[in-house]
Amino acid sequence: MKRWEHSMLVLTRKKGESLIIGEGVEITIVDISEGKVRIAIDAPKEVQIIRSEVKKGIEDENKSATSEAAIDQLKKLKKTSKK
């Protein structure tokens, strides 16, 4: 579970209701069924919108790739220092 460094606002919304975040971002509840909530997000093009699980997957892949590259570089350095 993620520990938030700030307070989290928890809201109750019904189908068709919306909320505004900052300047120009509106989130509307489109549908609620079978334990799933469909939302619509209206935001300026420059606002990046990405699902948290996708972001975490990208971050994990980047960490893995970075770690593998660092290990390869260390192995190369070790080989060259023996010469």
Side-chain angles (χ1 to χ4, degrees):
M1 180 174 228
K2 184 172 183 175
R3 294 183 70 50
W4 298 94
E5 295 177 10
H6 53 283
S7 298
M8 181 186 303
L9 176 63
V10 178
L11 300 171
T12 301
R13 301 277 74 202
K14 295 178 182 175
K15 183 177 175 179
E17 293 181 335
S18 62
L19 57 108
I20 305 294
I21 299 175
E23 293 293 322
V25 178
E26 182 175 5
I27 299 176
T28 303
I29 306 303
V30 176
D31 191 31
I32 304 169
S33 65
E34 299 178 20
K36 294 183 179 182
V37 177
R38 292 184 67 213
I39 62 172
I41 303 170
D42 184 13
K45 289 181 181 181
E46 60 272 6
V47 174
Q48 182 183 29
I49 301 170
I50 186 167
R51 296 186 334 246
S52 60
E53 65 274 13
V54 171
K55 182 177 180 185
K56 183 176 180 344
I58 292 168
E59 289 170 349
D60 290 348
E61 283 293 320
N62 287 343
K63 285 179 188 175
S64 176
T66 302
S67 296
E68 290 172 16
I71 290 169
D72 288 344
Q73 287 178 342
L74 288 172
K75 286 179 182 177
K76 288 177 185 176
L77 282 172
K78 186 175 178 181
K79 286 180 185 177
T80 58
S81 66
K82 288 183 179 180
K83 292 179 181 180

